[in-house]
Amino acid sequence: MLFLLLASLFFHTCLHSTSAYEDPRWTICTTPTPTYTPNSTFSATLTTALTTLQTTTAATGFATTTATSPTTNTSVTALALCRSSTSPPDCQTCVAAAALGIRRECPNNTAAQVWYTYCTLRYSPINFVNQSDTSIAFRIYDTRDAPDESSYDLKVNLLIKNLSYAAGASDNRSAVGRTALVRSLNIYGYVDCTRDIDGGDCTTCLLTAVDWIPSCCLGKWAGWIASPTCNIQFNMDPVHEDWINNPQEIDTDISSPVPEVGRAADEDGLGGGRGGGKQRSVVVGMGVSFVGIVGMVGLIWWRWRGEGGKNGEEREEIVMMSEDMGVRPLLYDLEVLGAATDNFSPANRIGGGGFGSVYRVIASFIFSNVEE
């Protein structure tokens, strides 16, 4: 019953003034934890921290602060994040509601976090900034069954994984997109992370959340899974503005074969080179699952002519980037992959396969960033 109630609240909501704002979607009042009294130094320091967030978050949609009492050295670290498409006024309204709501829901706890539809707010006496927390806080789902169950779950998985990599490569640590399901129906996806963590930690956090989909949301119309650091959302209904306004189309058709790398590269002049010099084209397969912390990050196909091939013959090689398979990993920073694929632009996508979308990148750019 709790899941049903939360699902109905999550998927049918709108913004209101702070005084008539929605109830929190989820709250964590950390226990066991020391408690504080209304007139204590901690309470006053917390008030300072929350007030700062209310005045600083709306400008960019994200803010952190640490308030310290000058007399007792008591500190409170606080963080607020708004959905990336939320306007500054609506962001400020949500953070103001969260600042009131978190103290109402957790009146004496020295550590807590609250989630609303458009924002989250967190505080603690321990400085948690720049530290990723992937522990799952909640899972909410719509009890309606999605159509075309045979392909729905796979498409959800590939959609959110693609967005997870894109979010890690983006400046605001978020990504939104949609993918076609059946007939005129789409699946809409949104992911984000708190912006104090780096891109790699963001993607790892999001993929950890993806791994929890089977525990709650297989075949379900919509789902929302969150940790203190990140959250993933998918829905058959475009209930948010960033889903309504024609978000980027993500191709999750795994039935289409991965194109022959050399031919695709030759057609675009990246891998061909009829001259004798070394020419390389690189294709990076994204949207795959992690194994352990790093695990299988993707596949790289490369092809070269002239040097390294007897009598100028062509040679192809596949290197699987997997630390747990005993293979030396060829790992690139997400920022490098994002830059090399123009933030995973559809224009650079040349196919798809069981590992998700496959992108063409600038060979010289990628190889110049390989660590020796």
Side-chain angles (χ1 to χ4, degrees):
M1 291 301 295
L2 178 60
F3 274 124
L4 291 175
L5 175 60
L6 290 169
S8 64
L9 286 172
F10 168 48
F11 298 114
H12 303 90
T13 178
C14 61
L15 287 174
H16 302 290
S17 65
T18 302
S19 60
Y21 207 71
E22 63 183 5
D23 291 331
R25 297 293 174 256
W26 201 270
T27 305
I28 293 180
C29 305
T30 304
T31 55
T33 182
T35 59
Y36 68 92
T37 58
N39 297 322
S40 65
T41 301
F42 184 91
S43 179
T45 308
L46 175 59
T47 298
T48 300
L50 297 181
T51 300
T52 299
L53 291 183
Q54 292 180 62
T55 59
T56 59
T57 306
T60 62
F62 175 73
T64 64
T65 186
T66 297
T68 304
S69 168
T71 56
T72 63
N73 207 32
T74 300
S75 293
V76 175
T77 296
L79 173 154
L81 173 70
C82 290
R83 190 181 180 99
S84 62
S85 61
T86 306
S87 68
D90 286 343
C91 177
Q92 184 171 8
T93 299
C94 187
V95 173
L100 293 175
I102 200 168
R103 302 195 77 162
R104 181 179 64 249
E105 298 293 322
C106 307
N108 301 309
N109 294 85
T110 55
Q113 185 165 2
V114 65
W115 285 264
Y116 287 79
T117 300
Y118 295 97
C119 69
T120 183
L121 188 150
R122 178 185 181 189
Y123 71 82
S124 173
I126 300 172
N127 191 335
F128 54 82
V129 175
N130 301 322
Q131 300 180 37
S132 179
D133 185 345
T134 63
S135 58
I136 299 301
F138 65 85
R139 294 159 288 161
I140 300 175
Y141 60 91
D142 190 313
T143 56
R144 290 176 293 171
D145 292 328
D148 195 20
E149 185 176 348
S150 61
S151 63
Y152 177 78
D153 292 329
L154 181 58
K155 284 180 173 288
V156 166
N157 193 277
L158 291 177
L159 170 64
I160 301 302
K161 284 182 177 179
N162 271 276
L163 294 178
S164 297
Y165 286 102
S170 69
D171 291 335
N172 66 0
R173 300 289 183 261
S174 71
V176 60
R178 61 185 171 87
T179 192
L181 182 57
V182 291
R183 300 182 295 277
S184 59
L185 298 175
N186 291 304
I187 306 170
Y188 300 88
Y190 175 82
V191 303
D192 69 13
C193 303
T194 58
R195 300 176 202 165
D196 54 317
I197 63 173
D198 64 28
D201 285 341
C202 175
T203 296
T204 299
C205 182
L206 293 168
L207 293 178
T208 299
V210 171
D211 289 340
W212 281 85
I213 291 178
S215 70
C216 66
C217 314
L218 288 179
K220 297 307 179 184
W221 194 272
W224 182 7
I225 301 175
S227 74
T229 298
C230 67
N231 92 99
I232 63 173
Q233 301 174 20
F234 59 90
N235 201 326
M236 291 288 294
D237 297 319
V239 295
H240 291 290
E241 182 179 354
D242 48 22
W243 286 342
I244 295 172
N245 294 333
N246 195 32
Q248 177 184 358
E249 178 76 22
I250 305 296
D251 189 350
T252 57
D253 181 11
I254 66 167
S255 63
S256 57
V258 177
E260 198 275 320
V261 176
R263 181 179 305 165
D266 288 349
E267 289 173 355
D268 291 304
L270 288 176
R274 300 304 177 190
K278 184 188 298 184
Q279 302 285 337
R280 289 177 177 172
S281 64
V282 183
V283 179
V284 179
M286 303 300 293
V288 300
S289 60
F290 271 40
V291 178
I293 297 178
V294 179
M296 190 179 296
V297 179
L299 296 176
I300 292 181
W301 290 263
W302 79 74
R303 178 180 195 161
W304 65 90
R305 302 174 185 273
E307 298 178 23
K310 184 168 58 178
N311 297 324
E313 67 182 4
E314 299 176 357
R315 179 181 174 187
E316 295 183 15
E317 194 164 336
I318 299 177
V319 176
M320 185 171 294
M321 299 187 294
S322 177
E323 286 195 340
D324 63 321
M325 295 178 65
V327 180
R328 180 182 181 272
L330 296 177
L331 300 180
Y332 305 97
D333 292 336
L334 285 174
E335 290 78 4
V336 173
L337 293 178
T341 59
D342 191 18
N343 200 22
F344 308 104
S345 168
N348 289 324
R349 186 184 183 280
I350 64 173
F355 291 99
S357 296
V358 180
Y359 295 87
R360 182 181 299 108
V361 303
I362 303 171
S364 60
F365 184 89
I366 277 289
F367 281 98
S368 68
N369 285 278
V370 176
E371 292 184 3
E372 296 297 334

